[in-house]
Amino acid sequence: MSVPVGIEISAQATPAANQAWLARSGLGTTLRPAFVTITDRTGGQVLAPGWLDMVERLTAVRIPVLPHLTGLYQTPGGLKQRVQALTALGVRRYLVLRGDRKVNHRPTGYYPHATDLLRALHRDPRFTLGAAADPLRHPESATWGTELFYLRAKVQAGAQFLVTQFCFDDDALVTWLARLQAAQLQVPVIVGVLPLTSRDRLRQAERLAGHTLPPALVRQFAACPDESAVRAFGIRLARAQINFLRQQGVGVHLYTFNDVELIHILKALIN
């Protein structure tokens, strides 16, 4: 069964750095994933030259790009400028997010939820829009009823596919997919996979997801004698999860953190 496998990357600060990183990674030449999402470290506040340059370079070599669009700190004027610049490059698909809250930064109030940004973008029929989901339930959702209510709201606001947070519990993933089916949320699903390549990455994964890692998984990593063993074990787990997700018929979204060695190791699964 053929399912899409894409990767998430971050743009470099300058066009020259983008060019160097792309050459090392092979992205656009020997590596051609089904799509590439590009994170926006500014939270949508600045149209960074390096970010726009990365989009341009990938679209030029016919790699489907899904730039992140975040709403929490965005203004209508800033959104218009960003979308116009991306549309000029041929971008028609977006991953639409609320965005992470930042300490000492006040949201603009224009797009406080992903649904608000989805509605604004959905007015243009040229765009295909994706939204975020969490197989373990978003930390701000008290119940599964609440979680499914907001997922349905995203779909009604214009989301045509869902991209999930990473999840290290395959049984929970299967249960979540069944919940979507029972709730008649019948949109394509792409599941996030995060290779746990260091002990720092384990701690970062818990912080980013807002969930603790499965205790059995924590014990397995604790038994690794050194960082090299942690990395090897984490990559084996990621490889196994990608194969599992393919068997389930859902797409894969690989969080790379721009790790070129990791990309090369998993290239056969990505292409």
Side-chain angles (χ1 to χ4, degrees), residues 38 50-60 65 67 86 89 91:
I38 305 178
W51 187 81
L52 197 60
D53 173 78
M54 182 65 86
V55 175
E56 183 173 13
R57 289 177 185 276
L58 292 177
T59 54
V65 177
L86 292 167
L89 296 176
V91 175

Side-chain angles (χ1 to χ4, degrees), residues 16 32 50 70 76 78 88 170 193 196 221 249 257:
R32 301 193 66 85
T70 56
D170 289 342
V193 173
L196 295 168
F221 275 105
F257 288 88

Side-chain angles (χ1 to χ4, degrees), residues 150-214:
Y150 284 113
L151 276 181
R152 182 174 286 105
K154 289 181 180 180
V155 172
Q156 291 172 342
Q160 294 156 278
F161 61 95
L162 298 173
V163 179
T164 81
Q165 179 63 278
F166 46 83
C167 174
F168 303 102
D169 186 335
D170 289 342
D171 290 338
L173 280 168
V174 172
T175 299
W176 180 74
L177 291 170
R179 282 195 172 100
L180 293 188
Q181 186 174 13
Q184 297 185 330
L185 286 169
Q186 298 175 344
V187 293
V189 171
I190 300 171
V191 175
V193 173
L194 173 64
L196 295 168
T197 53
S198 69
R199 298 191 195 279
D200 283 344
R201 184 72 78 223
L202 268 74
R203 291 187 285 270
Q204 183 184 31
E206 289 194 328
R207 186 172 69 253
L208 289 173
H211 302 291
T212 57
L213 298 179

Side-chain angles (χ1 to χ4, degrees), residues 10-22 48-54 57:
S10 296
Q12 306 299 306
T14 66
N18 280 339
Q19 183 178 13
W21 185 84
L22 288 170
W51 187 81
L52 197 60
D53 173 78
M54 182 65 86
R57 289 177 185 276

